[in-house]
Amino acid sequence: QVQLVESGGGLVQAGGSLRLSCAASGSIFSINTMGWHRQAPGKQRELVATITSGGRTDYADSVKGRFTIARDNAKNTVYLQMNSLKSEDTAVYHCAADVFSVVGRRYEYWGQGTQVTVSS
């Protein structure tokens, strides 16, 4: 019913930049909070950044000053601009969205994930 499709991952050098995108589609009435999570092999999943429907943001300490989350409500899309990338940023990045459907249901949906690899 609702799908989140991510793009923008890849292989970059340390110090480089990537921009991740996640577009939600389907029977959507509105979206409350959207966010990005990441998980590396052998590590627990980490909440990277969130953004509310009103544009308020929150970041993990490890990415503050380097990553920026933004959204386009008209396109139901959330972005993660990642600058000054470090090797420890290597992970699979997933987006998530708190979605209100057109039939009145509320549910948290997750994207399929996109790999980000940072080499030194």
Side-chain angles (χ1 to χ4, degrees):
Q1 182 184 12
V2 176
Q3 305 86 230
L4 275 63
V5 179
E6 299 150 331
S7 62
L11 173 64
V12 298
Q13 301 275 55
S17 298
L18 282 175
R19 186 189 189 223
L20 306 183
S21 300
C22 175
S25 62
S27 56
I28 298 170
F29 178 75
S30 65
I31 303 177
N32 189 17
T33 302
M34 306 182 80
W36 291 91
H37 308 250
R38 67 185 182 186
Q39 188 163 29
K43 298 174 63 179
Q44 67 179 37
R45 187 168 62 224
E46 176 185 26
L47 178 62
V48 176
T50 59
I51 183 167
T52 70
S53 59
R56 286 179 286 275
T57 60
D58 195 18
Y59 298 92
D61 289 341
S62 58
V63 306
K64 285 180 179 176
R66 301 188 298 118
F67 290 12
T68 302
I69 188 170
R71 64 190 287 170
D72 184 336
N73 290 331
K75 295 181 179 294
N76 289 327
T77 299
V78 63
Y79 307 93
L80 187 67
Q81 178 66 48
M82 305 184 294
N83 299 324
S84 302
L85 283 162
K86 306 174 181 179
S87 60
E88 52 262 44
D89 296 318
T90 296
V92 176
Y93 285 71
H94 297 263
C95 68
D98 182 7
V99 176
F100 296 85
S101 76
V102 296
V103 297
R105 288 192 293 110
R106 181 181 180 180
Y107 196 79
E108 185 179 57
Y109 290 89
W110 289 73
Q112 79 285 355
T114 185
Q115 176 71 46
V116 172
T117 302
V118 184
S119 63
S120 59

